[in-house]
Amino acid sequence: MLDHKVSEALEWLRLAKDKFREFAYGDEAQRTARPKIGLALAGGFARGIAHIGVLRAFRDAGIPIDCVAGTSVGALIGAGFCSGVSLEKMQEIGQSTTFADFGRWTPSWLGLATNQRMEKYLARMTPATTFAELKTPLAISATDINAGVTIYYLNGSLAAPLRASCAYPGLFVPIQYEGRTLVDGFLTAPVPVEGALIQGADFVIAVYLEAGGIDNPRTFVDIISRSFNIIQKHTDVTWRQQADVIIEPDVSSFAWDDFTKTPELVAAGEAAAMNAIPEIVAFLRGRKKDSAA
């Protein structure tokens, strides 16, 4: 069934690609008429590699992305994309990633590890160190653990907000930054649609990565992850109401540390995005006609 849907999407894509490119990247009047497209990328550890496939599908279809908002690994992929790093390079880095690349075991009362190595990991991906150096605007979400609210970072240094957005509670030690104690953005913004909206997006594409259903948790990380996932399924889903299109790659069978399965994760993201392309193009063309009227 999935192969049939992908084939249909490919056929449709071949027919519509050139016309949509002309619409999306036409003259100045066309660009002004086109709604601003925002992309909200969820967290999910290794499952976040599927975001690369989503971006590849959009690139090949000629769908422009005007701003990005990311949570956790979504923020990392967003930083790479917004700084102009090729999707091929990001996939290569993802394939060779291990926990030791971004985490180091340092048991304490606040967490079992530090993610300070995330700074070097980011440097492997891009030379950009500040939001100002990015080619596409980016918002990174983190959670103020004391206030219980989402904090979006859109300027200044990239490293601290990124580390905060990836500071999974219980696993990584919280990040102290600008007078706040910050942890993973997924607690309050599992899919940071709001981060795209505050950047002025008219149309937001949300990418959600459902956690895997491991029959028997293997590690304490699995236990923590499963617990938070259960809580989220029974709590606020405002982001679903705010998004215009929701893409949900089939990554539930992958574990949080399945970095070696990068090709399969990228393929899952690409397949899901291709199925959503007709809906995205239909909306954008409709908006163009409304503007012309």
Side-chain angles (χ1 to χ4, degrees):
M1 180 63 72
L2 178 59
D3 290 341
H4 177 66
K5 289 184 178 180
V6 171
S7 296
E8 287 184 344
L10 278 170
E11 181 60 27
W12 181 92
L13 189 56
R14 293 189 187 97
L15 296 175
K17 183 175 179 181
D18 291 339
K19 290 185 178 180
F20 185 68
R21 280 184 181 278
E22 181 180 351
F23 161 60
Y25 297 105
D27 58 28
E28 186 62 32
Q30 287 176 314
R31 286 195 293 271
T32 301
R34 175 176 66 76
K36 185 174 182 179
I37 304 173
L39 180 64
L41 303 177
F45 283 96
R47 289 183 291 272
I49 293 172
H51 291 319
I52 298 174
V54 171
L55 290 167
R56 188 163 70 184
F58 290 166
R59 179 195 65 187
D60 294 345
I63 294 178
I65 299 299
D66 299 303
C67 62
V68 177
T71 288
S72 197
V73 66
L76 176 63
I77 297 296
F81 172 77
C82 291
S83 65
V85 177
S86 72
L87 301 180
E88 290 72 22
K89 179 178 180 180
M90 284 196 279
Q91 180 170 344
E92 180 182 345
I93 292 174
Q95 177 78 43
S96 62
T97 296
T98 65
F99 178 83
D101 288 318
F102 55 84
R104 181 170 64 88
W105 298 112
T106 55
S108 72
W109 291 112
L110 296 177
L112 297 174
T114 173
N115 67 1
Q116 186 172 5
R117 290 177 178 175
M118 181 68 71
E119 297 184 22
K120 290 185 177 180
Y121 188 78
L122 176 64
R124 283 174 54 193
M125 183 177 294
T126 173
T129 59
T130 66
F131 284 88
E133 297 173 69
L134 301 179
K135 300 177 180 179
T136 301
L138 171 69
I140 292 179
S141 73
T143 299
D144 182 322
I145 195 66
N146 293 321
V149 297
T150 305
I151 306 298
Y152 284 103
Y153 292 93
L154 300 94
N155 51 61
S157 171
L158 282 170
L162 178 60
R163 287 184 58 200
S165 188
C166 296
Y168 201 79
L171 175 59
F172 291 117
V173 174
I175 304 300
Q176 301 295 327
Y177 184 60
E178 295 185 341
R180 296 180 182 273
T181 300
L182 304 167
V183 296
D184 202 312
F186 92 93
L187 284 180
T188 52
V191 186
V193 174
E194 185 182 22
L197 292 174
I198 63 177
Q199 294 182 85
D202 302 304
F203 179 84
V204 181
I205 303 168
V207 185
Y208 174 65
L209 307 172
E210 185 173 354
I214 302 172
D215 292 334
N216 293 303
R218 304 166 301 159
T219 67
F220 68 90
V221 177
D222 293 336
I223 295 293
I224 295 174
S225 177
R226 177 76 65 84
S227 300
F228 281 124
N229 291 332
I230 292 173
I231 292 173
Q232 284 193 338
K233 286 183 178 180
H234 298 278
T235 54
D236 183 45
V237 288
T238 301
W239 67 267
R240 287 187 178 274
Q241 300 170 346
Q242 296 173 320
D244 294 288
V245 171
I246 299 174
I247 297 174
E248 301 187 61
D250 184 8
V251 295
S252 60
S253 63
F254 296 92
W256 69 275
D257 56 350
D258 270 344
F259 296 103
T260 57
K261 295 182 180 178
T262 287
E264 293 92 333
L265 287 162
V266 171
E270 186 171 19
M274 288 176 64
N275 285 332
I277 287 174
E279 182 182 359
I280 295 170
V281 174
F283 177 89
L284 296 178
R285 284 180 171 169
R287 283 292 296 269
K288 183 185 179 185
K289 291 178 181 177
D290 292 342
S291 297

